[in-house]
Amino acid sequence: MWGIFTITKGLSLISNEKMSSLMNRFAGNLIKSIFVGIVITTILQSSSMVTVITVTMANAGLLDIKSASGIIMGSNIGSTIAVQLYAFNLFKLAPFMVLIGSVFSFQKCSTKLKITGNATLGFGLVFYGLKIMELSLSSFKDTGMQFLNTNLSNTFRGIFVGIVLALILQSSNPAIAVLQVLVSSRLISLNHALPIIYGLNIGTCSEAFILSFASNKEGKKIAYFNILLNIWGTLLFLPFTQLFARLLEALSPFNLSRQVANAHTLFNLFSVIAILPFMKIILKALDKFIKK
């Protein structure tokens, strides 16, 4: 968690003004806006931050509803890239990343070097922390597996746990990283981890939802679209959770951590693909039902 916080803190040195300018400049149509959302979230490593910026810009009339919704969809996909990196076994490189990152992070000569240093330090801490967590959990394998799988056997309970975790952490990435360790250590099954991933995606909408209370009609539409997108994805995947788990196992049969990362990525990717044909209907409905 410290590593992920360090990454986000370092990348937050990139000003919101620059991000807003980039959004405004390149967000012209829906597909282009999705791409912009992916790029900016990959840079900032925070879909919540991108969502808040997007709602704020829509609220100020700087983004139309189509561009803003595209950025939101791209942001959901972009937030999965860091989790893919966590699935690599880079524990041996972690000490060097921490050392180099610390040197760059504490220098005061260059902001670019400081951003690079924070990101490198953060990833080093994450890889080191994941390995330590995996080693420490091995002693709880038998009792822990029985306890967790029993308590998370109910799908809706898993979704609820995911929502609560996202509300507490205000980010899905730390919880996904922990899930990667739990599944890799075989403390919980992939089938039980998937509903938690669905819930995490819904829970990350909380900041935008809270912001919507102080927003005008356009800001509210974007905030509600963000919630709708993740609920849509959950309803889409829920009946096929077992099949989804088998697909993930087939894609990465020897890397359990990668299975969790792929679940997060494919959930967000296919949620976006599946909602695209209905965008006109959804945007018209939001315009009709949100009066002010």
Side-chain angles (χ1 to χ4, degrees):
M1 290 178 71
W2 182 25
I4 293 170
F5 173 75
T6 303
I7 297 168
T8 305
K9 182 182 177 183
L11 294 174
S12 67
L13 292 172
I14 304 170
S15 67
N16 287 353
E17 288 78 11
K18 288 182 180 178
M19 293 296 104
S20 300
S21 176
L22 188 65
M23 287 182 186
N24 203 25
R25 181 178 176 185
F26 292 103
N29 58 52
L30 193 60
I31 303 301
K32 192 186 291 185
S33 300
I34 291 173
F35 179 73
V36 169
I38 293 172
V39 171
I40 292 177
T41 307
T42 303
I43 294 170
L44 292 181
Q45 284 301 301
S46 174
S47 59
S48 295
M49 191 184 300
V50 175
T51 302
V52 168
I53 294 172
T54 305
V55 171
T56 303
M57 289 182 68
N59 195 48
L62 298 174
L63 281 176
D64 59 43
I65 180 69
K66 185 182 288 187
S67 295
S69 59
I71 290 170
I72 292 295
M73 289 188 283
S75 175
N76 279 20
I77 297 170
S79 66
T80 69
I81 292 174
V83 177
Q84 289 288 348
L85 294 176
Y86 301 158
F88 288 105
N89 187 12
L90 298 178
F91 173 66
K92 291 180 180 178
L93 295 178
F96 301 101
M97 296 175 75
V98 170
L99 175 62
I100 295 169
S102 298
V103 172
F104 286 171
S105 180
F106 290 106
Q107 60 78 39
K108 296 182 180 180
C109 300
S110 169
T111 302
K112 290 181 180 179
L113 277 180
K114 191 173 185 66
I115 292 169
T116 305
N118 274 298
T120 306
L121 172 61
F123 277 113
L125 290 170
V126 168
F127 293 130
Y128 193 72
L130 289 174
K131 187 64 176 180
I132 296 299
M133 197 189 306
E134 185 179 338
L135 292 170
S136 64
L137 286 172
S138 61
S139 59
F140 296 100
K141 188 172 181 179
D142 295 328
T143 55
M145 180 172 63
Q146 184 179 356
F147 174 78
L148 288 172
N149 282 316
T150 300
N151 283 278
L152 296 175
S153 58
N154 184 291
T155 300
F156 294 100
R157 189 182 296 170
I159 293 173
F160 178 74
V161 168
I163 293 172
V164 171
L165 282 174
L167 290 173
I168 293 170
L169 298 173
Q170 285 300 300
S171 175
S172 61
N173 281 6
I176 295 288
V178 173
L179 274 181
Q180 286 176 297
V181 175
L182 291 175
V183 174
S184 296
S185 303
R186 301 186 185 278
L187 284 169
I188 65 171
S189 67
L190 183 62
N191 286 338
H192 293 154
L194 291 177
I196 299 175
I197 293 174
Y198 306 157
L200 284 168
N201 280 278
I202 296 172
T204 53
C205 303
S206 60
E207 286 187 3
F209 179 69
I210 293 168
L211 188 61
S212 70
F213 290 105
S215 300
N216 59 22
K217 180 178 180 179
E218 296 305 310
K220 283 184 171 68
K221 285 195 288 187
I222 299 305
Y224 295 154
F225 174 79
N226 189 25
I227 299 168
L228 178 65
L229 173 63
N230 288 291
I231 293 176
W232 162 266
T234 299
L235 294 175
L236 185 69
F237 276 83
L238 203 53
F240 307 104
T241 297
Q242 299 289 337
L243 290 174
F244 188 30
R246 302 293 82 79
L247 171 64
L248 294 166
E249 289 167 356
L251 289 174
S252 304
F254 305 111
N255 190 335
L256 299 177
S257 181
R258 181 71 63 197
Q259 291 174 14
V260 176
N262 287 341
H264 190 38
T265 300
L266 291 175
F267 173 86
N268 285 285
L269 181 61
F270 282 105
S271 295
V272 169
I273 292 172
I275 207 170
L276 282 175
F278 307 102
M279 283 301 295
K280 286 185 178 179
I281 298 171
I282 291 169
L283 296 182
K284 283 182 180 179
L286 287 171
D287 190 59
K288 181 178 180 180
F289 290 106
I290 299 174
K291 302 299 183 182
K292 60 178 180 177

